[in-house]
Structure formats: C-alpha cells, structure tokens
Amino acid sequence: MKLVANEAYIIDAVRIPRARVKGEASIYGGLKPVDLLKPLLQALSDRNELDSAEVEDVLLGCATQSGDQGANLAKIASLYAGWSDSVSGVTLNRFCCSGLDAINMGAAKLLSGMESLVVAGGVEQLTRVPMFADKGAWFTDPKVMQKTRFLHMGLAADLIAKQEGFSRVQLDELALISHQRAAYATQHGYFSQSLVPVVDAEGLPYLENDEGIRPTISAQKLSELPASFSDYVAMGQKVVEQVYPEITLEAMHSAGSSPALVDGASLVLLANGERCRELGLTPRARIIHFANASDEPVKMLTGHIRATEKMFKATGLSVSDIDLWEVNESFAASVLCFQKHFAIEDDALNVNGGAIAMGHPLGATGGNLLGMLLDELERQNKQRGVVAICGGAGVGVVTLIERFS
C-alpha cells in the first residue's frame, strides 16, 4: 500500500495492564494518573525511536476531569513524562467514548492536513477520581435530571434486556465467554505486543496482565450473583415509563454481567504519510472512517449502533466487509443488542474478551480496544475492523481501521 500524505496511519498502540478497583483501592492506588501515562509516552518514544519534539499534539480522553484528572491532564502528563515543551495537549470528554473520540479527532487533524504527527488515547484512575466526582448537573441537579430524563446506566442496560427479550442466562453467558476468551488470550500472549507495565522505584512491574480476568468463573457462580440495580428499579420505572410506557423495568444485570471498574491508560501514535517517510515510521494500519451519533437518552447504551449505521452509510460498506469487531462491553445487554442489530457472528465479535472480564477504564477504553483490534487483525492476517463504544446520555462513537500491508 502506498503512503499518502494526508492519511491517518496508526504507527503504534500501547496500554498498561488494567488494575481492579476494590472499594477505593487498587494496585495503582498510590500513584496518580500522570504516573499511569508516563510509561506509555516513554514507550512510544523508545519503541519508535521518536523525538517527542516531533509530536504536535496529545489528545487525551478522560470522563471525569476533576482532582488529579483536572488541569488539562494531556499537557501536564506530557511534561511529567519528560516530553518536549513544544508538545501541546488537550483533554476531552464524551463519557465512555472519550478515548476513542480523542483518537478520531487526532485522525481528523491528519486527514485535514492541519497536523502530521499526534498522540491520542485516554486515562481513567477511578481509585483517585471516582465516577461522578465532578458532580455534573446531569446526575446531581434534580431539575436537570428530570429535564434530561436521567437514568442510572445499569438500569438502561436492564431496559435494553427487557426490550430485546434477553434472559438472565444470556447475559451471564456473554460474561462467561468474555472471561474465557480474555483468559485464553492472556495465556497465549495475544496482548503482549501492546502491554507496557507501570513499574515501581526498583523497576518492578505493579502488574504484568489485566487483573480482573477470572479463568475459573462458571455459569453457576454467575447465576448466583444478585441483580445489581434492584434498589433503583422503582425510581427508574418512573423515568422509563415517560418514553416506554409498555415496559415494566426489571433488575437483570449483576456484577458479573456489568463492566468491571479498573484503573487504566492507553495511547496511540498517529502520523500522516509524509511524516512516516521523514521519520522512518512504519504504519500498521490506517483509520478509514469514524463517526459519532446519539440515541434516546433513557435507553442510552445504543448510540454506537446509530454511529455505526452512519459510518456504513458514509462508506458504502456493510457488515460483511468487516472482519473483526471490538464492541465495548458496557453491560452484557448492550453488546447483545449491537450484535443482534447487525447480525454479527460470534467468532468476529470481541474475540479476546472485553470489559466485563478485563475492565472498563472509561477514558482509556477507546485506546485499549483499538490496540486489541489491531493486534488481532495482524495475528489473524485480516484486513478491516471496527471499534464501537456507547456512552452516557445516548452518545456513541465508532472507528473503522484497515491494516497497512
């Protein structure tokens, strides 16, 4: 494939092993978000023999920008990692889609010809900055909550399960498969190319693999877990019946079929064709297209379906043109709904597990999934893949990539 000046080429993708959040603690709990990003920024420089002064911008997704994740974390993290003062930075928020949106915005800079070499990705350290720590009006102001039809995301997943007729057994089955596939992929080194450890003062890694995977989990154990959102059903029903009066809400998702909370970070190096030639960078893939959209905010977890439809309409492609899919496991019903809508085969969807097993570090998830997809396309010698993520209030983002060969 010939290098084209204003294309968005993926040069490298790195992530740290995800650490389970246990209450208000994790193995990374004594660190800060900049400490999780530092080894990734340094790895991009070292692995690609790249002078950081060549990077024009760092775009970072982060869903909760307060406390240790405030003050334009993208710029501060690059300085903290020892990168050149000339590197700019921006931190953005599209809820769970933030990291993927950062990558897409980085690609847009290259495709427009306005910039030529950027880093994009995301971070979320839930032990330092818990979900909802920013106290946004969407979930704290009663007037805003009522006007925007706020519903807890777990209940939105339960709503989808009820609408689509998914049983508790189906939700648990998807969760079981996620753990089994993630355990197999870890055991066989499928993630090793992208994993960069966070190390302590002695140079020892805090983690070598994603911590949340449960190789021995069983359908029986999953079935015994209580439904997670039972206490909120009565309140949620009042919101649901405003839009879906025919639905009687029922708590169905458990901790086993919900995304695990983890600390994580991920980054992707993007360059146009001219910079690849000048700096001797070797493209692994290119970003063909991306899209964002939104769906009805009570149902919420289906915005990535709308974004994918938008992408297909713009490109003229169809499901049969896509070899592999990484659809964020933001609750089991959301994935099952996406799969059902597009009639995706099991062996093409989340083939190495997903967030239910390995965790969903919000802003870092986009980079995690893109890296996993790229590694797997290469391993299977396949061509095209899609990353799709839904987020709060109905938003959704999708990215279509093609291997460079």
Side-chain angles (χ1 to χ4, degrees):
M1 188 182 294
K2 183 181 179 181
L3 286 171
V4 179
N6 292 343
E7 285 276 17
Y9 294 112
I10 303 172
I11 310 304
D12 203 359
V14 290
R15 66 180 181 90
I16 65 171
R18 284 166 271 191
R20 286 180 60 207
V21 173
K22 309 157 192 173
E24 295 182 355
S26 86
I27 200 165
Y28 298 145
L31 304 175
K32 293 190 175 183
V34 289
D35 295 307
L36 306 188
L37 289 161
K38 181 179 178 180
L40 298 182
L41 289 161
Q42 293 175 337
L44 289 180
S45 289
D46 294 343
R47 286 159 55 125
N48 299 282
E49 300 180 350
L50 177 68
D51 181 348
S52 65
E54 301 288 351
V55 178
E56 295 173 84
D57 206 359
V58 175
L59 300 93
L60 199 68
C62 184
T64 309
Q65 295 178 37
S66 62
D68 290 326
Q69 291 179 170
N72 190 7
L73 187 55
K75 175 58 183 176
I76 303 309
S78 67
L79 288 173
Y80 185 79
W83 272 29
S84 170
D85 294 350
S86 66
V87 181
S88 191
V90 61
T91 310
L92 56 95
N93 179 9
R94 203 189 295 269
F95 297 125
C96 300
C97 310
S98 301
L100 192 59
D101 218 34
I103 293 166
N104 292 345
M105 289 186 182
K109 287 171 174 278
L110 305 186
L111 292 165
S112 70
M114 296 296 176
E115 290 184 358
S116 59
L117 182 66
V118 301
V119 168
V123 66
E124 211 80 39
Q125 192 174 10
L126 294 166
T127 48
R128 304 289 299 194
V129 187
M131 290 178 66
F132 311 124
D134 56 352
K135 296 180 171 51
W138 180 48
F139 47 82
T140 61
D141 186 312
K143 181 179 179 181
V144 176
M145 293 170 72
Q146 182 179 15
K147 181 70 174 179
T148 61
R149 305 189 298 280
F150 173 80
L151 184 70
H152 190 290
M153 193 169 286
L155 291 179
D158 289 335
L159 166 62
I160 292 171
K162 191 78 171 180
Q163 283 183 318
E164 299 293 334
F166 301 139
S167 67
R168 170 65 189 260
V169 171
Q170 287 175 288
L171 304 181
D172 288 347
E173 181 182 13
L174 185 141
L176 179 61
I177 291 171
S178 183
H179 281 278
Q180 290 174 337
R181 290 180 170 181
Y184 184 90
T186 299
Q187 181 183 358
H188 289 80
Y190 293 174
F191 303 140
S192 60
Q193 182 173 356
S194 297
L195 280 177
V196 173
V198 182
V199 298
D200 63 18
E202 283 72 45
L204 299 174
Y206 286 92
L207 277 176
E208 294 185 350
N209 293 297
D210 299 301
E211 190 181 17
I213 305 167
R214 294 291 177 264
T216 61
I217 201 165
S218 65
Q220 177 67 30
K221 289 179 181 177
L222 285 166
S223 69
E224 292 171 354
L225 294 172
S228 295
F229 310 106
S230 301
D231 293 344
Y232 307 103
V233 168
M235 184 183 302
Q237 181 64 42
K238 296 177 182 179
V239 179
V240 168
E241 64 190 18
Q242 296 177 41
V243 187
Y244 308 104
E246 74 282 4
I247 296 294
T248 300
L249 201 58
E250 178 184 355
M252 297 179 68
H253 286 79
S254 69
S257 54
S258 304
L261 296 179
V262 293
D263 292 339
S266 60
L267 293 175
V268 176
L269 178 62
L270 302 168
N272 70 8
E274 183 178 356
R275 294 301 270 162
C276 287
R277 285 189 291 268
E278 290 176 353
L279 300 175
L281 300 172
T282 303
R284 296 172 63 191
R286 68 187 181 104
I287 294 177
I288 302 175
H289 198 83
F290 49 84
N292 80 86
S294 189
D295 207 348
E296 193 279 310
V298 174
K299 194 172 184 179
M300 195 181 310
L301 303 173
T302 50
H304 53 351
I305 293 177
R306 304 283 83 80
T308 303
E309 290 175 332
K310 183 177 174 181
M311 179 268 291
F312 278 143
K313 182 177 180 181
T315 61
L317 298 174
S318 64
V319 173
S320 62
D321 296 306
I322 309 302
D323 297 305
L324 293 172
W325 299 78
E326 287 291 338
V327 179
N328 188 40
E329 291 179 351
S330 47
F331 301 95
S334 175
V335 182
L336 290 172
C337 182
F338 190 101
Q339 181 180 23
K340 178 182 176 181
H341 184 87
F342 292 107
I344 300 170
E345 298 292 335
D346 288 340
D347 61 1
L349 176 66
N350 296 354
V351 297
N352 292 322
I356 287 175
M358 292 178 282
H360 175 30
L362 307 181
T365 290
N368 284 346
L369 295 185
L370 191 73
M372 288 171 61
L373 175 63
L374 179 55
D375 288 346
E376 189 63 18
L377 285 171
E378 290 175 343
R379 193 185 73 82
Q380 293 194 29
N381 193 28
K382 292 188 174 178
Q383 184 181 18
R384 293 194 190 101
V386 166
V387 177
I389 304 177
C390 60
V395 300
V397 172
V398 63
T399 305
L400 170 64
I401 71 171
E402 181 179 69
R403 276 185 59 217
F404 187 84
S405 58

